[in-house]
Amino acid sequence: MTIAKIEKLDRLIEATATARDAKSGSLWRQSIRRMRRSPMAITGAVIVGLFVLVAIVGPWVAPYDPTAQTWGREVFLNRNIFPGPRPENWFGLDHLGRDMFSRMIVGARQTLLVGVVATLIGFVAGAFIGGVAAAAGTFGGRWGERLEAVIMRAVDVALAIPMLLLALSVAALLGPSLRTVMIAVGVAQIPIFARLLRGSMLAQAHSDYVLAAIAIGVPKGRIVVSHILPNSLGPVIVQATLVLATAIIEAAALSYLGLGNPDPGSAEWGTMLADAQRFLSGAPQLAIYPAVGIIVTALGFTLLGEAMRESLDPRLRRQE
């Protein structure tokens, strides 16, 4: 290849990348403007923002120590007598005489921590598996295609197992702990991220800028890492917002089943829900408060994720 042809291809690559970056920036700006006009996006963002704020400042604004059994003498378990909401205890007391309002506030941090860490585990591991499969299938030749087939068949098998059942199996093997819940829920999310990123990368692999980079001899590894992968992460990031809602629900389910934090004094919504099941007849509010917290938080992340997905949907953009 002559120097003149190489220079022409370089200019073509530069022009293509510039146009693509401008289009991508315009796309994200349009998506943000569309989300600002969406009641669903605004509602989800408000719920998520309040939840994150409470999780961050909770330990400093809680009126009482969430583990202190200050009012234990006012609770009578044998007669199902639990003081309800009152001026000094806005949400009443739990079965050990602890302030429910303080435990709800402090428990938001544990719930957010479990959801975020579990989602990151699934995102990182799934992105690695899906990226390797897509790179092998695109640039690996015959052996790469075989490697991709093996990886994706394993992912398909994992997808065939219900996520909660897979999380339960992992949690049962590792034993009850907060770390176990994070790992178990994260492992259950890996197949989703792997298949989504692989499909997105395969769609990008046939773009003009990739073909131009191959034509001028850019190393295949650099094409994958510097070009295909960054342009394929958009749908995966949107999916992570939706998965975060699922992770919070599954983490609460594992804690409810006794596979969460073994510390009985821990203020975590799933554990609080599990402790309340023995007193549903006399004090249903002990289960209502953490259940409503879990439902509303998951709803906020779901609304925000769905709004992001719709704002990036090309079919909806064409209708505008």
Side-chain angles (χ1 to χ4, degrees):
M1 182 179 295
T2 63
I3 297 177
K5 290 184 177 180
I6 293 177
E7 291 178 351
K8 289 181 180 179
L9 285 174
D10 286 341
R11 289 194 295 269
L12 175 61
I13 290 289
E14 183 179 356
T16 304
T18 302
R20 174 173 49 82
D21 292 342
K23 183 179 179 180
S24 176
S26 176
L27 170 62
W28 282 104
R29 286 193 295 269
Q30 292 175 8
S31 300
I32 293 174
R33 286 198 298 268
R34 195 176 294 110
M35 290 181 64
R36 289 177 178 175
R37 299 193 301 264
S38 171
M40 181 169 62
I42 295 173
T43 303
V46 169
I47 294 174
V48 171
L50 289 175
F51 172 63
V52 173
L53 179 63
V54 171
I56 292 174
V57 305
W60 292 282
V61 301
Y64 304 105
D65 182 355
T67 62
Q69 303 176 20
T70 308
W71 297 273
R73 295 182 179 180
E74 301 182 30
V75 177
F76 299 91
L77 299 181
N78 55 343
R79 289 184 289 173
N80 271 346
I81 296 178
F82 301 86
R86 54 189 184 180
E88 61 269 30
N89 307 111
W90 291 0
F91 287 178
L93 305 177
D94 70 353
H95 63 291
L96 296 177
R98 298 172 295 193
D99 182 58
M100 280 292 293
F101 181 70
S102 300
R103 291 180 63 78
M104 284 294 298
I105 291 178
V106 176
R109 172 175 289 191
Q110 290 275 16
T111 302
L112 178 63
L113 177 65
V114 171
V116 170
V117 173
T119 302
L120 285 176
I121 292 174
F123 179 87
V124 173
F128 175 78
I129 294 173
V132 170
T138 304
F139 297 113
R142 183 179 62 182
W143 290 103
E145 293 177 355
R146 292 180 179 178
L147 176 61
E148 180 195 18
V150 171
I151 293 175
M152 296 315 299
R153 294 300 77 76
V155 170
D156 291 341
V157 170
L159 281 173
I161 304 174
M163 285 190 295
L164 184 57
L165 180 59
L166 181 58
L168 277 172
S169 303
V170 175
L173 290 174
L174 298 178
S177 70
L178 189 63
R179 183 182 300 176
T180 293
V181 173
M182 297 177 185
I183 296 175
V185 177
V187 169
Q189 309 293 345
I190 289 175
I192 299 175
F193 287 110
R195 178 158 284 281
L196 183 60
L197 182 61
R198 170 187 171 270
S200 182
M201 289 182 66
L202 289 179
Q204 290 288 333
H206 302 288
S207 301
D208 292 339
Y209 68 91
V210 174
L211 298 177
I214 295 174
I216 64 173
V218 177
K220 296 178 180 178
R222 183 178 177 183
I223 294 174
V224 172
V225 175
S226 301
H227 300 286
I228 297 178
L229 181 60
N231 288 285
S232 304
L233 289 177
V236 185
I237 294 174
V238 174
Q239 181 65 28
T241 307
L242 296 171
V243 166
L244 188 55
T246 306
I248 291 175
I249 295 175
E250 291 184 352
L254 292 179
S255 297
Y256 179 81
L257 295 173
L259 295 172
N261 194 340
D263 182 9
S266 174
E268 196 271 324
W269 291 352
T271 304
M272 293 168 63
L273 192 60
D275 293 338
Q277 64 180 329
R278 296 176 292 166
F279 314 107
L280 289 178
S281 59
Q285 72 274 9
L286 299 184
I288 291 175
Y289 294 140
V292 170
I294 293 169
I295 292 171
V296 172
T297 302
L299 176 63
F301 281 107
T302 301
L303 291 176
L304 186 59
E306 288 292 344
M308 292 174 63
R309 176 183 291 175
E310 291 183 2
S311 67
L312 293 170
D313 192 336
R315 293 172 296 180
L316 297 178
R317 292 199 304 272
R318 285 196 296 265
Q319 295 175 2
E320 295 185 351

